[in-house]
Amino acid sequence: MENNEVLGSKGLLKKHEFVRILIQCLYSLGYKNSASCLEQESNISCKSSDFEFLEKQVLTGDWDSSLAVLDRVFDDSRDDSRRNTALYLVLKQCLSEYLKRGETSLALSVLQKQAQVFRVGREKIHMLAFDVITSKEMEPGEVDSCLVQDLRRRLLAELEKLIPTPVVIPGRRLEHLVESAVMNQIDTCMYHNSWDAVSLYEDHRCGRDQIPSETVQVLVAHKNEVWFVQFSDSGKYLATASSDCTAIIWKVLDDNEVELMHTLQSHQNPVSFVSWSPDDTKLLTCGNAEVLKLWDVETGVLRHTFGNNDSVFTVSSCAWFPDSTRLVCGSSDPERGIVMWDTDGNEIKAWRGTRIPKVVDLAVTPDGESMITVFSDKEIRILNLESLVERVVTEEQAITSLSVSGDGKFFIVNLSSQEIHLWDLAGEWKQPLKFTGHRQSKYVIRSCFGGLDSSFIASGSEDSQVYIWNVKNKKPLEVLSGHSMTVNCVSWNPRNPLMLASASDDQTIRIWGPGKPVR
């Protein structure tokens, strides 16, 4: 008999339910003696009387009683689907055992009786009969009592998942409740950025030491403004592009120090964009007044220049497909459009014509299914490359850059109106989430997703600072100072949530690491 005693400062927890869940947890953790002692001391059983009775009837093969108690416990339930499934499972076990023992007449009698008594439905009964009769396991033969008991226990385990509360407590209920409470605390923690398990001894709260917010290294190798920076997919490499007409491949060491690996010299004009192949073996470089070039990462050797030696075929942006053998590039010249190539320079597909205006930026989702393109400053087109279904998103202000989240479900665009807009790829949102605080009016500023589950957005800014937001808050979480001129681009290491890189007109690249905890 349950009492009405409650626990907790708010009086919201029923003591009987709380103790019952504690007992279940002890049993699930393997502390059977402790669980049994608590049952005796509290006079509260983990299993309800109805389920204990059902368990006894199933294990002894009393199928009429089993079906009767099931019908009773589901009497107040509105879930006919679960009820019917539970009855079906019991009937199936019952028929299986009769047929295995060669008691065909009994099996037939059960089918006829239960079809009339229970609301299982004629079609369900016919399907059950077919399943049982056609099963090879149901051929008459010697009955293994150990196997029968094992099958009955499996049946009980399945029934536990179907029977409503409070007759049965959902599995691992205490773990679920505690985990839900922890997840709620994590969801409200603006700095959470770790895969590590959290402590239960105190309420969860992270500090700025969980995100990159302090300069740990300054890279000085370019001779002019640095316009682009991007970590490779594995996080083991970093590439930068500069108005000094070079790109540089950097190596990220095991201690997170970054060292120069190759300086790529072949472009005749500023390099404003790079793109890593997903397998980290190849790098693309290009610029608004430059052709597209493919480099070997290991050797730093130029492998191919795209465009059939057409120096006019300038490329503003490019992206890889997941197989690392195909790539796509877009030109600021409307006549050139968008072209898909293989790594040998063979054109696979092209999108040209009046419907393809100037390409500002483009990206391919990590699964390779969609291509996102920014056209003529304000228009975003999302093309499903399999179905060829296209969706158009129009912004009111000029778009300068595009970035896709690591899971491919979201993308962000930087606007010249000093806003960053976050859109969902599926098109379910009518309005974007908006982030403000940084400065952008004259130059191309690039932002990125980063951190645990792409929970953060980072962006450069014309006020020489780096801005970081949690996607749940439109106001900056951190503003990082260190550069002396415009920060053009940022990149968050996809494998290390505590590592961020920024590229600036001050000719340097800053590597940012965890900040000092606030005491």
Side-chain angles (χ1 to χ4, degrees):
M1 181 71 67
E2 292 188 27
N3 58 47
N4 296 322
E5 192 173 350
V6 294
L7 302 173
S9 60
K10 307 295 183 183
L12 299 175
L13 308 178
K14 296 179 181 179
K15 181 178 178 180
H16 181 277
E17 293 184 358
F18 187 79
V19 173
R20 211 180 145 198
I21 289 172
L22 279 177
I23 296 169
Q24 182 205 47
C25 181
L26 290 172
Y27 273 122
S28 68
L29 292 174
Y31 304 133
K32 296 181 180 180
N33 292 337
S34 299
S36 180
C37 286
L38 183 53
E39 284 181 309
Q40 293 179 18
E41 187 173 353
S42 65
N43 199 29
I44 296 172
S45 176
C46 178
K47 296 177 182 178
S48 67
S49 57
D50 278 334
F51 188 79
E52 285 185 331
F53 181 73
L54 174 65
E55 185 176 44
K56 180 180 179 181
Q57 306 315 309
V58 168
L59 292 178
T60 57
D62 186 341
W63 304 116
D64 285 339
S65 297
S66 299
L67 291 167
V69 72
L70 274 178
D71 198 49
R72 185 173 69 252
V73 300
F74 276 101
D75 190 46
D76 294 330
S77 174
R78 297 179 181 178
D79 194 338
D80 286 339
S81 175
R82 281 174 171 260
R83 173 190 178 279
N84 292 342
T85 300
L87 294 175
Y88 176 87
L89 291 174
V90 173
L91 282 171
K92 185 176 181 180
Q93 181 63 29
C94 169
L95 295 174
S96 299
E97 292 188 19
Y98 284 157
L99 291 173
K100 191 68 177 177
R101 294 198 297 262
E103 298 173 343
T104 309
S105 59
L106 272 176
L108 182 59
S109 173
V110 167
L111 274 176
Q112 293 172 335
K113 177 182 176 182
Q114 302 307 332
Q116 296 174 0
V117 175
F118 293 107
R119 306 183 299 275
V120 177
R122 186 179 298 274
E123 182 180 340
K124 197 82 170 177
I125 292 292
H126 288 170
M127 185 172 69
L128 173 62
F130 179 80
D131 286 348
V132 172
I133 292 172
T134 57
S135 174
K136 291 183 178 179
E137 296 178 0
M138 297 309 112
E139 295 177 0
E142 185 177 344
V143 177
D144 185 336
S145 58
C146 291
L147 177 60
V148 168
Q149 284 299 309
D150 183 55
L151 291 173
R152 290 175 179 176
R153 292 192 181 281
R154 290 185 190 181
L155 170 61
L156 279 169
E158 291 301 313
L159 293 176
E160 276 193 277
K161 300 174 185 177
L162 297 168
I163 295 172
T165 58
V167 179
V168 168
I169 306 172
R172 298 185 176 277
R173 183 61 180 165
L174 184 59
E175 290 177 42
H176 170 74
L177 291 172
V178 173
E179 192 170 56
S180 295
V182 170
M183 287 304 300
N184 184 59
Q185 292 182 5
I186 288 174
D187 286 343
T188 58
C189 176
M190 292 294 102
Y191 285 96
H192 189 74
N193 192 30
S194 171
W195 289 281
D196 295 339
V198 301
S199 173
L200 299 180
Y201 293 141
E202 58 185 4
D203 289 345
H204 176 74
R205 185 177 62 181
C206 296
R208 66 193 306 266
D209 57 320
Q210 290 300 305
I211 63 170
S213 52
E214 300 284 348
T215 298
V216 295
Q217 191 176 358
V218 179
L219 308 180
V220 181
H222 284 291
K223 297 179 174 59
N224 211 326
E225 299 170 351
V226 188
W227 288 352
F228 200 93
V229 60
Q230 188 179 77
F231 281 103
S232 67
D233 190 63
S234 71
K236 296 180 179 179
Y237 301 98
L238 181 72
T240 56
S242 170
S243 61
D244 66 6
C245 306
T246 70
I248 294 178
I249 296 176
W250 308 81
K251 175 74 172 177
V252 180
L253 305 179
D254 292 340
D255 60 0
N256 291 328
E257 283 287 311
V258 180
E259 66 176 20
L260 194 150
M261 188 173 172
H262 302 295
T263 299
L264 312 180
Q265 297 176 317
S266 177
H267 288 285
Q268 304 303 310
N269 295 291
V271 183
S272 59
F273 199 96
V274 305
S275 182
W276 287 95
S277 64
D279 64 5
D280 279 13
T281 63
K282 299 172 280 290
L283 181 73
L284 293 170
T285 58
C286 60
N288 285 326
E290 259 297 341
V291 293
L292 180 66
K293 293 179 180 289
L294 174 66
W295 305 82
D296 181 271
V297 172
E298 185 64 30
T299 63
V301 172
L302 176 64
R303 288 182 49 174
H304 192 79
T305 299
F306 294 83
N308 297 321
N309 299 318
D310 181 359
S311 60
V312 184
F313 186 47
T314 57
V315 174
S316 57
S317 56
C318 53
W320 287 90
F321 285 87
D323 57 14
S324 295
T325 64
R326 295 172 297 146
L327 56 108
V328 65
C329 63
S331 176
S332 55
D333 181 354
E335 294 184 4
R336 304 293 175 177
I338 301 171
V339 181
M340 183 191 299
W341 312 83
D342 65 19
T343 52
D344 294 323
N346 300 307
E347 185 177 305
I348 300 172
K349 186 176 179 61
W351 294 265
R352 300 187 180 97
T354 55
R355 289 192 68 255
I356 307 297
K358 179 180 76 171
V359 177
V360 175
D361 204 350
L362 62 75
V364 173
T365 53
D367 58 13
E369 292 184 1
S370 298
M371 180 171 65
I372 310 171
T373 311
V374 177
F375 287 109
S376 296
D377 296 341
K378 299 179 182 180
E379 185 179 272
I380 307 165
R381 294 187 196 173
I382 303 155
L383 174 66
N384 185 297
L385 296 167
E386 294 183 0
S387 66
L388 299 183
V389 173
E390 186 176 72
R391 182 168 65 88
V392 177
V393 176
T394 303
E395 290 281 8
E396 294 181 358
Q397 303 295 327
I399 304 168
T400 64
S401 64
L402 163 73
S403 182
V404 180
S405 63
D407 59 11
K409 294 180 180 179
F410 306 95
F411 65 90
I412 48 178
V413 290
N414 276 59
L415 306 180
S416 59
S417 59
Q418 303 188 137
E419 287 187 338
I420 296 172
H421 287 186
L422 168 61
W423 292 92
D424 70 312
L425 192 74
E428 296 175 356
W429 299 356
K430 293 183 178 180
Q431 296 293 328
L433 298 180
K434 300 178 180 181
F435 303 88
T436 59
H438 65 301
R439 297 290 177 265
Q440 178 179 4
S441 59
K442 298 184 292 183
Y443 305 122
V444 173
I445 301 295
R446 298 184 182 275
S447 57
C448 70
F449 287 94
L452 179 68
D453 298 327
S454 296
S455 298
F456 300 92
I457 293 172
S459 179
S461 177
E462 290 176 9
D463 63 3
S464 75
Q465 301 183 104
V466 174
Y467 286 75
I468 295 177
W469 297 262
N470 186 297
V471 295
K472 301 167 189 169
N473 195 325
K474 65 180 181 180
K475 295 183 178 180
L477 181 67
E478 289 285 341
V479 180
L480 314 183
S481 300
H483 287 291
S484 59
M485 298 178 71
T486 294
V487 180
N488 300 301
C489 184
V490 292
S491 179
W492 212 304
N493 191 315
R495 307 300 173 189
N496 182 354
L498 301 179
M499 190 176 195
L500 177 74
S502 58
S504 170
D505 282 351
D506 65 12
Q507 304 183 23
T508 70
I509 302 99
R510 282 183 176 260
I511 306 299
W512 305 85
K516 296 178 181 178
V518 178
R519 300 192 179 189

